[in-house]
Amino acid sequence: EVQLVESGGGLVKPGGSLRLSCTASGFTFSDYAMNWVRQAPGKGLEWVSSITRGSGYTNYADSVKGRFTISRDNAKNSLFLQMTSLTAEDTAVYYCARLLGSAWFSGYWGLGTLVTVSS
Amino acid sequence: EIVMTQSPVTLSVSPGERATLSCRASQSVSTNLAWYQQKPGQAPRLLIYGASTRATAIPARFSGSASGTEFTLTISSLQSEDFALYYCHQYNTWPLTFGPGTKVDVK
């Protein structure tokens, strides 16, 4: 069974940094590209970032480009999102998601981790 | 950026009735369109991808169709567990984008 467990969320002050982690199990992690998707409280879904299997290609939403960095450690079945210069607009539940196959939509989702940016 | 719009915002349906949800892309996404269901406090659940392919374990009452840049999710006979938020999502072009969602509630 595919399992994705996010961690690292919490309360951070504006301008601060946070590193999210996602631990994967139930599949061969290195075989799949991965996404981060977020959802602000009471709002819709927003794609944040994607990374290919071997980390050779990454992409970011304009809203986070230059501030967030996606990475992965295939040996540890882990996906990361390093977030810097956080603002209140980054407050959201952050979901780690695995592609179903090779197309970029998310087939499997974690339960999410809440990031709150507030002073 | 491809803008996805969904209508209606809220759809009130009685159990057992048919629900038809619409999604429009601001430009062609081919059939690179997925639908997700989300219930309060839960992660999204993939229903449909490739505009019309049901994901694993998704009941046959859920179906998707496409016509150009217009996409439809149909729930043939609503069950109690189907009252939820539904999002469409294009994965044809970066940045990946989602529609704002349609809430299906009890009439």
Side-chain angles (χ1 to χ4, degrees), chain A residues 81-95:
Chain A
L81 187 68
Q82 178 69 49
M83 306 185 295
T84 63
S85 303
L86 287 163
T87 73
E89 286 66 46
D90 297 315
T91 294
V93 173
Y94 285 74
Y95 294 104

Side-chain angles (χ1 to χ4, degrees), chain A residues 8-113:
Chain A
L11 177 63
V12 60
K13 288 182 166 53
S17 299
L18 211 55
R19 188 192 196 210
L20 304 184
S21 299
C22 169
T23 301
S25 61
F27 65 100
T28 303
F29 182 68
S30 58
D31 282 352
Y32 293 91
M34 300 290 292
N35 293 326
W36 285 101
V37 177
R38 68 183 180 183
Q39 186 169 36
K43 303 298 184 183
L45 300 169
E46 179 188 16
W47 168 75
V48 173
S49 184
S50 301
I51 188 168
T52 51
R53 296 178 296 174
S55 305
Y57 177 81
T58 59
N59 207 340
Y60 300 91
D62 284 347
S63 58
V64 307
K65 201 170 292 184
R67 300 187 300 121
F68 288 13
T69 302
I70 190 171
S71 62
R72 64 191 293 163
D73 184 338
N74 287 342
K76 295 183 178 180
N77 293 338
S78 296
L79 176 72
F80 306 102
L81 187 68
Q82 178 69 49
M83 306 185 295
T84 63
S85 303
L86 287 163
T87 73
E89 286 66 46
D90 297 315
T91 294
V93 173
Y94 285 74
Y95 294 104
C96 161
R98 196 205 90 177
L99 275 58
L100 186 67
S102 57
W104 283 101
F105 67 92
S106 298
Y108 297 90
W109 298 64
L111 295 178
T113 187

